[in-house]
Amino acid sequence: MYVRGLREALLRVSAAAAVVVGANTAFAAPVVTLSIDSIGIYDNYTIQAETLPNGDGTYGLSGIGYGNNFQCNWDLTVNPDPSITGTFHLTNLNAATTTFVVLASLPIGSFGAPTATGGYLGDVTYNDANNDGNLSWDPVNASTAIYMSLINGANYQGINVPSGPAFGTGVTVTSSRVSFGLPGLTQAGPAASGTIGIRLSFQLTGNDHVDIPVFFQLEGGAVPEPATVLLLGVGLAGLALIRKRA
C-alpha cells in the first residue's frame, strides 16, 4: 500500500511538472524587431512586431516603414527553430546616394555548441527607379559586409556580392545569390541564446530601388529548461525510492 501510494504521489508531482514544462516549451508567436537607418542623416524607423502563424509551424510578418529618406516594405517568415527568411524592398527617397542599415532580429531559446548554420544573400535586384541613367548598389566600405548574420547580437558570417555602377535609363541589375553552409546547414557555429538576426548595410543611388532576399538558419541541441530538469530529477528520484521500498 505504501509503495502504491508513493507511486500515485509521484505521478501527481510529475504531472504538475509536465504542465510547467509544456507551458515553458510551447511556442508563442515570436516578436521580431525591425529597424531601418539612414546613416549620416539620423533617419530611423524601429518596430517590435508580433508575427502571425502560417499554420505550418512558421510565422509571418509583412509591413511597410517610412522615413524622411526611405520607404521599406518587408515580407518575412520566421521559425522558432530558429530561422529568418524573406525580402526587403527599399526605395531611396533622397536625391543623393544614401547609406542604409536594415536589421531583423528574432528571439530564440538556448542552443549548445556546436550549432549548425546556413544562410544566403539572395538574387538582389536594383533598378534605376527615377530614370536618370545612374544606378549603383554597393557595400558601405571594403570592411563592411552587405549581409551579416548575427548570433547573440554579435557578428557571425558576412557576405558581399559583386556590385557597382550601371548606366542606362531605367536599367535593372540582378546579382546572383551567394550562400554559406548550404545546402543542409553544414557550417559549424557557436552556442546560441538570446537572438539571431540579419543586418544589411549598403549604399543606394538617389531615388532608386532595391529588392534584397535574405535567409539565416541555426540548429543545435536545445539546452534543457529548468522545469525540464526538475521533471527529470523528480522521475529519477521517484524510481530510486520505489525500488528501495520494494
Side-chain angles (χ1 to χ4, degrees):
M1 290 292 293
Y2 177 84
V3 171
R4 185 175 65 183
L6 180 59
R7 285 174 177 166
E8 291 174 351
L10 285 171
L11 284 173
R12 287 195 294 270
V13 172
S14 298
V19 169
V20 174
V21 171
N24 285 346
T25 58
F27 288 127
V31 175
V32 172
T33 299
L34 290 173
S35 67
I36 305 107
D37 284 285
S38 301
I39 303 302
I41 308 178
Y42 306 105
D43 191 9
N44 173 269
Y45 175 91
T46 301
I47 63 166
Q48 289 184 319
E50 184 172 307
T51 54
L52 298 176
N54 293 324
D56 60 357
T58 67
Y59 297 81
L61 179 64
S62 298
I64 181 171
Y66 290 94
N68 294 325
N69 299 282
F70 64 83
Q71 173 185 318
C72 185
N73 301 58
W74 55 85
D75 186 7
L76 301 178
T77 298
V78 300
N79 192 322
D81 275 351
S83 66
I84 302 173
T85 185
T87 304
F88 291 95
H89 314 269
L90 186 140
T91 300
N92 182 3
L93 302 180
N94 191 4
T97 297
T98 304
T99 297
F100 296 99
V101 176
V102 179
L103 173 67
S105 180
L106 171 71
I108 64 172
S110 296
F111 297 85
T115 54
T117 67
Y120 64 67
L121 176 61
D123 297 330
V124 176
T125 299
Y126 49 109
N127 68 284
D128 177 29
N130 65 342
N131 296 310
D132 68 352
N134 182 28
L135 171 66
S136 181
W137 176 72
D138 296 297
V140 176
N141 53 55
S143 62
T144 301
I146 287 178
Y147 167 110
M148 179 61 71
S149 58
L150 307 171
I151 298 178
N152 307 334
N155 291 350
Y156 173 58
Q157 176 67 55
I159 297 175
N160 261 327
V161 297
S163 58
F167 302 99
T169 302
V171 67
T172 296
V173 179
T174 299
S175 62
S176 298
R177 187 175 90 171
V178 179
S179 63
F180 66 92
L182 298 176
L185 300 184
T186 59
Q187 181 166 306
S193 62
T195 62
I196 64 168
I198 297 172
R199 184 177 64 239
L200 301 170
S201 306
F202 58 90
Q203 293 183 330
L204 180 64
T205 41
N207 298 126
D208 291 333
H209 179 86
V210 63
D211 300 319
I212 311 176
V214 293
F215 171 71
F216 180 49
Q217 184 173 358
L218 178 148
E219 287 184 354
V223 177
E225 296 190 14
T228 306
V229 176
L230 170 64
L231 177 57
L232 291 174
V234 169
L236 291 173
L239 288 173
L241 186 57
I242 289 172
R243 179 175 294 179
K244 181 178 179 180
R245 291 295 184 181

